[in-house]
Amino acid sequence: MKHRWLLLSVGLFFALVVAAVGAVAMAIAITYPRLPSLETLTDYRPKIPLRVYTADGVQIGEFGEEKRAFVPIGQVPLLMKQAILAAEDERFYQHGGIDYIGVARAAASNLLTGHAQSGASTITMQVARNFFLSSEKTFTRKFNEALLSFKIEHSLSKDQILELYFNQIYLGQRAYGFASAAQVYFGKSLAQLTPAEMAMLAGLPKAPSSYNPVVNPNRAKLRQQYVLRRMRELQFINEQQYQAALAESLHVRRSSESFPVQAEYVAEMARQALYDKYKEAAYTQGYKVYTTLLASHQTAAYEAARKGVLDYDRRHGYRGPEAYIELPAAGSDLQDKLEDHLADVKDAGDLVPAVVLSTSNTMVKVYLRGGTTAEISGKGLQFAARALSSKLQPSQQLRPGAIVRVQMGENGPQIVQLPQAEVAMVSIDPQNGAIRSLVGGFDFNRNHFNHVTQAWRQPGSSFKPFIYSAGIERGFTPATMINDAPLVIDPATIGGQRWEPKNFDGKFAGLMTMRDALTKSKNLVSIRILQAITPDYAQAYISKFGFEARNHPAYLTMALGAGSVTALQMAEGYSVFANTGYRVRSYFIDRIEDSRGQLIARTEPEVAGKNAPRTLDPRNAFIMTSMMQDVTRYGTAAKANVLNRNDLAGKTGTTNDTHDAWFAGYQPGLVAIAWLGFDQPRSLGGSETGGAAALPIWISYMGKALKGVPEYAYPVPDGVLTQPVETSRGTRNEYFYAEFPQTNPELGLDNTSTAAPQTMEEGVKDLLF
């Protein structure tokens, strides 16, 4: 009887097994043909963002929904692969898609602990889930995942599967794939990572939100330690490496948007250009845009522009804190509340927001993001010391709860403020128009408006060289004597407005050479030159430099820069002087490549002396350069002598009521333009001129950009004569067109204009040097 029951039980067991196997076989037979095609894997085309680089390969921008950088598995460092295997699937190269030993180990662990603590998903299973399935925890999804894993293992090699996993997995902070995560979290390439950093990244796939070192640094550290321990147990690292990795202090980037070179305005220009060409595909196809910027030039321009604005701002005093908050009561959540307040304040480069915690007559204690506090005193407090006075309005006082800006200086932290003025700085190669640096404003995060390409401003006296150039073409010479004397424009005959232009200093020098007049930026001389050649002629003439007539009405005020220009236009205009007379157009994209580095498009620039049109007589360009060299040696830009170079030329510019400060200058290999002003035009202050506000920016940039560049000796072109003439600085050899030798004419002895009067719609304005 017992044997019968035993046989019956065994038979029933085998029947159940057969039935189960049959059911599984039937499920497989039904499900397997319905599994998705693996074409997505075999023809893997991930969404790769648009990336923007300098000409020398430094990344300056990235645009796309997913941050991803595809890396072939053969280029992944061995230790990085081993860290991933130690964390996720140590038997990856041994199993066939499902790790039965791992399943048994996980089941035993879960039984012992009483809850699901360990999983048994292999890397292949994760690839199946990430590409084809949802994350829902159901038997059907798990069954399909297992079948897909077998299918993947049958169709792809182990390295191909690992490559897919390595580039597809989400790792937090919008980073997909380990190469992107290395940049996001540490600002490094894979080859630059330390074992400790590799272990930190390898620990992320299990739960990117929970083990994110930015959001949860403590949990991330525990996960990293686990990965390092597994790497040691699997002998991927030795004991010395293990201990060193445990002790290593990691420096995690808090902001994933920062790049080594600050060129946000150019990156945005590139994004707009690519979107116009490729629409939404621009953000997913992995295009690489190589601009014409040089990293060293861009850094120099960025630093010079920001320092110039901050120096200007400091000259005009501290205005007070940005805002005030109610300080929360001291307690365990004080830091969290302060962090919440500071999270609402935008960064501005190295001007970091802080909350004042306490003050005294000589010291201010502030709280900075990340739990740091700083005590500011001495020179660090000097700029804002006046705001400690209790006599000021509460809205101007430095008191607990004030939100201020702190900058790390040479002597420690110092209180500064966000400037209200804006800046533009651009430089181009005058031989081909390649933009070498471009700073479109003080801070891109605060103001996306590009002051280099979008801001139309009056150029003031920085426009005078184009009028002088027209005069030379009409027979004037640098030695022509012109009267710097009062002049009255009386347009009563046409119902206009009386105009009595003046020089900046209000003084008149009488007869002086054209060269001296430009050196000293004499307004009355410029007007008399324009009277002689006529505004209509000058309006047509300036097209040689790329200026459109519609932006420069044919009135006498054109002599003082009353039209409208952009900083980039000025750079192109001055390039004609710098390259001896060729009109080159600026460009900022050198080439576009696809995600595999194949060339898609390349700019073919206009090159001086080759395919660029000549618009100016080389003799004119040479003489004008010679005259503008005097501006930088003896005139309104004499501060440029600090650069100790003899090949620099340029012109200052300050508009009416000092609304705009300019300096435009060059040497044969580089033209640079600096501008400073307010978005809503208002006075920069009576003592602020192009020489005081804009020239220092230009000097700072050119000092670095021209370091190591040999001085250039300008050759005298054919058709130019030299004759000795008397000047305010003694006898010198002056340059003349061969057909216009020295005749020493005198122009403008009459103080009243009797020619047809010139007027503006709203009346004329004085535009000073």
Side-chain angles (χ1 to χ4, degrees), residues 3 63 169 178 216 331 441 497 559 577 586 625 644 694 705 707 743 749:
H3 292 291
F63 303 93
I169 193 74
F178 286 90
N216 294 307
Q497 190 175 33
F577 292 131
S586 62
T625 294
N644 197 29
K707 188 175 182 179
T743 56
L749 296 180

Side-chain angles (χ1 to χ4, degrees), residues 198-504:
M198 291 179 180
M200 179 66 79
L201 296 181
L204 289 171
K206 183 176 177 64
S209 58
S210 298
Y211 299 123
N212 185 323
V214 174
V215 180
N216 294 307
N218 294 331
R219 296 188 68 180
K221 184 67 177 177
L222 292 174
R223 178 67 176 166
Q224 179 218 30
Q225 292 170 350
Y226 164 77
V227 176
L228 286 171
R229 185 170 68 252
R230 293 293 298 134
M231 292 174 72
R232 178 69 187 101
E233 291 169 355
L234 295 169
Q235 298 184 356
F236 293 152
I237 56 176
N238 58 36
E239 183 64 24
Q240 183 179 359
Q241 289 175 305
Y242 174 63
Q243 294 299 334
L246 287 176
E248 183 178 330
S249 177
L250 299 185
H251 301 284
V252 178
R253 295 170 71 189
R254 296 288 166 183
S255 173
S256 60
E257 300 299 329
S258 60
F259 296 97
V261 173
Q262 302 297 314
E264 295 92 340
Y265 288 96
V266 177
E268 174 60 15
M269 290 165 64
R271 183 201 67 79
Q272 292 176 5
L274 266 287
Y275 181 81
D276 289 344
K277 187 175 181 67
Y278 301 111
K279 303 306 179 187
E280 293 298 328
Y283 306 132
T284 60
Q285 299 304 304
Y287 293 118
K288 299 176 183 177
V289 180
Y290 288 87
T291 67
T292 58
L293 297 186
L294 296 176
S296 60
H297 282 232
Q298 181 63 26
T299 297
Y302 176 79
E303 292 174 351
R306 284 180 68 92
K307 184 178 185 301
V309 178
L310 289 173
D311 286 349
Y312 163 80
D313 199 60
R314 181 174 285 273
R315 290 197 294 270
H316 294 269
Y318 187 63
R319 294 181 294 276
E322 291 181 29
Y324 294 90
I325 63 170
E326 285 292 330
L327 279 182
S332 58
D333 62 345
L334 173 61
Q335 181 174 336
D336 290 339
K337 290 182 177 179
L338 290 174
E339 289 288 340
D340 288 342
H341 284 297
L342 289 176
D344 296 330
V345 184
K346 288 185 178 180
D347 283 333
D350 59 347
L351 308 187
V352 297
V355 178
V356 175
L357 298 176
S358 61
T359 64
S360 69
N361 291 333
T362 58
M363 186 271 293
V364 172
K365 184 177 182 180
V366 299
Y367 176 91
L368 302 131
R369 282 188 188 134
T372 306
T373 60
E375 293 185 353
I376 304 174
S377 59
K379 290 185 177 180
L381 188 57
Q382 189 174 6
F383 177 53
R386 178 177 170 274
L388 290 170
S389 172
S390 59
K391 296 180 180 179
L392 294 176
Q393 294 291 329
S395 61
Q396 296 177 307
Q397 290 179 21
L398 275 179
R399 53 185 172 85
I403 294 179
V404 297
R405 294 282 169 168
V406 175
Q407 183 183 46
M408 295 303 298
E410 295 179 358
N411 300 312
Q414 56 183 345
I415 291 182
V416 292
Q417 65 186 354
L418 287 177
Q420 295 176 341
E422 276 294 354
V423 67
M425 175 73 204
V426 61
S427 65
I428 71 175
D429 183 338
Q431 303 304 319
N432 60 15
I435 295 177
R436 296 310 187 192
S437 69
L438 188 152
V439 181
F442 180 79
D443 182 65
F444 181 79
N445 291 325
R446 185 178 65 159
N447 188 350
H448 288 13
F449 185 77
N450 191 330
H451 296 83
V452 169
T453 61
Q454 296 175 302
W456 289 87
R457 309 290 294 217
Q458 290 185 334
S461 291
S462 63
F463 200 75
K464 287 178 181 176
F466 306 112
I467 304 301
Y468 276 60
S469 172
I472 287 174
E473 208 60 27
R474 294 285 280 184
F476 281 78
T477 75
T480 299
M481 301 296 292
I482 306 171
N483 197 16
D484 177 34
L487 182 65
V488 177
I489 308 297
D490 186 4
T493 57
I494 57 172
Q497 190 175 33
R498 181 184 176 89
W499 182 35
E500 296 184 48
K502 295 179 173 56
N503 290 320
F504 179 77

Side-chain angles (χ1 to χ4, degrees), residues 66-133:
E66 300 177 359
K67 296 180 178 179
R68 192 195 307 274
F70 179 82
V71 178
I73 197 65
Q75 297 178 16
V76 178
L78 176 61
L79 194 58
M80 184 73 247
K81 289 189 281 189
Q82 291 173 330
I84 295 170
L85 297 180
E88 294 296 317
D89 190 356
E90 65 183 78
R91 298 188 65 255
F92 172 70
Y93 281 98
Q94 283 77 51
H95 63 66
I98 297 177
D99 184 5
Y100 301 105
I101 296 176
V103 171
R105 184 169 57 242
S109 175
N110 293 339
L111 285 173
L112 288 174
T113 58
H115 56 85
Q117 185 178 19
S118 302
S121 289
T122 64
I123 283 177
T124 309
M125 295 169 75
Q126 291 184 59
V127 168
R129 182 167 64 247
N130 286 330
F131 277 91
F132 302 110
L133 304 171

Side-chain angles (χ1 to χ4, degrees), residues 617-641:
D617 190 318
R619 299 175 300 170
N620 189 302
F622 172 79
I623 291 174
M624 285 305 306
T625 294
S626 169
M627 293 169 68
M628 283 189 277
Q629 282 181 285
D630 278 7
V631 176
T632 62
R633 290 169 180 162
Y634 320 111
T636 55
K639 289 179 182 177
N641 282 313

